[in-house]
Amino acid sequence: MSAGRTGVRAGLVALGLALPGLISASGTPGRAAPGTAPVAAVEAAAGPGGTVNGIPAQELARMRREAPLVEAALRIQRAAGDGTAAGFAGVALTGAGDGVDVFWKGAPPGAVRREIAAVRTGRVTVRAARYSRAELASAAATVARADGTVTVSYPVSGTALVVASPDPAATRARLPRLPVEVTLTRAAAAPKPAAAKPAGSKAAGSKSAGSKSARSKAAGTATAAATMVAAAETLPSPSRQDDARPAWGGAHLINRNAAGGNSGWQTRDATGKVIDADTAYHCTSGFPVRNPLTAVEYLLVPASCGKPRDLFVKPNGVAVNDVLAGDNTLVSAVPGVMLTRPAGGAEPFLYTGGSWSDTGWSIERAAPLVAGQHVCVTGAQTGLACGAQVSDTLGNRSGWTPNSTGGSTVLSGLTRVLLAEHSWYTLRDGTTCTISPAPEDVGCLPYQGPGDVGATVFTVDGGTTTGVTIRGLVMRMEFPQDDGLENVQFVDVGDVMPMLRGFENSFGTWLELVTKFNDTP
């Protein structure tokens, strides 16, 4: 739903180019047909730091270069029966990003060979896979039934089944004989339900050390005892931290009915130390969908964030959702998402830029992901991170995540994204955590934080198109394990959108993505 607002968070960006759909604090609201421009022109028009409405120009260029290869890979996968053909293991962009690798056990059938021959962008190489996707999926299901404490995944290359366990030796003893090779790694155990951490405790996920900055000692620094009312006096409005109505994706949500907190928002105490801002449960507002028959709009967010009729508020305490109009049946255990109804409806936009950003991009469409593809992730706690790369465990990773009831939720069907370190983000009190070239303080998060659960994963496929392509929804965080990598894990929109099409789905109603093409006043 578009309300035609003016001022901050409304209006078309004027960059000397026709780039409708980019939204900022200046100009007047409006709509225009999608368009493209040369990458060089967009780079020349980029704002401070070489960005276009918060997205680095070089990342726009890379996403544009990858777009035709991604489409080619998806066409090949469709020719393989959406991955169900016998022998199919997976598809991926090459390491150099100049072609597509197709992994197959045996020889691909004629329909797949014809689709490969039709590709005109980049090279396509068929590589031998040790196991097919079907074989690995069957083995993964067997492992999950035998040991519920593990997380399971397998690469698109079809090499082996990867099982991560808190106790690898005990897990190996419990596993039945399997027809595929199993690689065991160590992973953290799921947490037991616990009470909320007191305000002033060390921020979760902190693993970095460094010296305090002079800025962190500035007079007027807020403490963790700051109230929601005080937040309304300092946070930019409208912005991620004080979203207006209709709602945008990528904004800050706080669950007032949660059993405890999740360290999803940070501030500095009077000494400049980075601490939890409060004991609340924080998430990001996902992206908008709607029922085209009734025109009712929803925000699609992880079910771990709460129930549809839980009260979600902004940092100033104002309600985001219409609790009375909500429906607690609009929850899907697989893939672990729920629908909450925003008061005043929703608009087809995502916040981009930093954690206090008032700018964003319009939503154009949704499409599945391909391993090796580069994406952006936009969350409320740490803002936008571009340059993240989709791993080779595509849509088959399982794991647990904390939830708003104080317990944990087991998720499956996840994809892993290897994160690019961001440079800085803004804390609750307006000070910043500077990350690059090194974290300046203990507690500063080099990657995403718990409050970024619900962040949208997206691409801008033309590099200069007016809208983003929704690719997924962040469901859980994973900090370094044996591989030393930090990452987020998300559900691929290719798994979510089929659930939104047609009447026979887990929500029991016909839903579709809200885009700039179908949005109504």
Side-chain angles (χ1 to χ4, degrees), residues 322-422:
D322 186 340
V323 174
L324 295 179
D327 183 348
N328 274 342
T329 68
L330 298 180
V331 179
S332 175
V334 179
V337 296
M338 69 91 170
L339 299 174
T340 192
R341 186 169 175 176
E347 281 189 318
F349 291 98
L350 289 177
Y351 281 106
T352 53
S355 51
W356 279 28
S357 173
D358 64 351
T359 62
W361 285 61
S362 65
I363 297 170
E364 187 165 296
R365 68 181 186 122
L369 276 159
V370 171
Q373 181 180 10
H374 288 84
V375 297
C376 294
V377 182
T378 182
Q381 184 175 6
T382 60
L384 180 73
C386 290
Q389 188 171 27
V390 181
S391 77
D392 62 356
T393 55
L394 193 68
N396 59 57
R397 195 174 183 88
S398 63
W400 56 266
T401 187
N403 61 40
S404 63
T405 66
S408 60
T409 300
V410 177
L411 300 169
S412 60
L414 302 178
T415 294
R416 188 184 190 198
V417 169
L418 309 179
L419 292 169
E421 189 175 272
H422 49 227

Side-chain angles (χ1 to χ4, degrees), residues 210-222 267-274 427 429-432 440-441:
S211 61
K212 292 180 181 175
S213 66
R215 180 177 64 257
S216 70
K217 300 180 181 179
T221 298
T267 190
R268 294 183 190 272
D269 64 16
T271 69
K273 180 182 178 181
V274 177
L427 304 181
D429 62 340
T431 63
T432 60
E440 64 176 349
D441 289 298

Side-chain angles (χ1 to χ4, degrees), residues 86-89 103-108 127-133 135 179:
F88 177 84
F103 298 96
W104 210 283
K105 182 179 180 180
R127 300 188 184 279
R130 185 176 181 184
Y131 306 110
S132 69
R133 176 189 285 185
E135 289 174 312

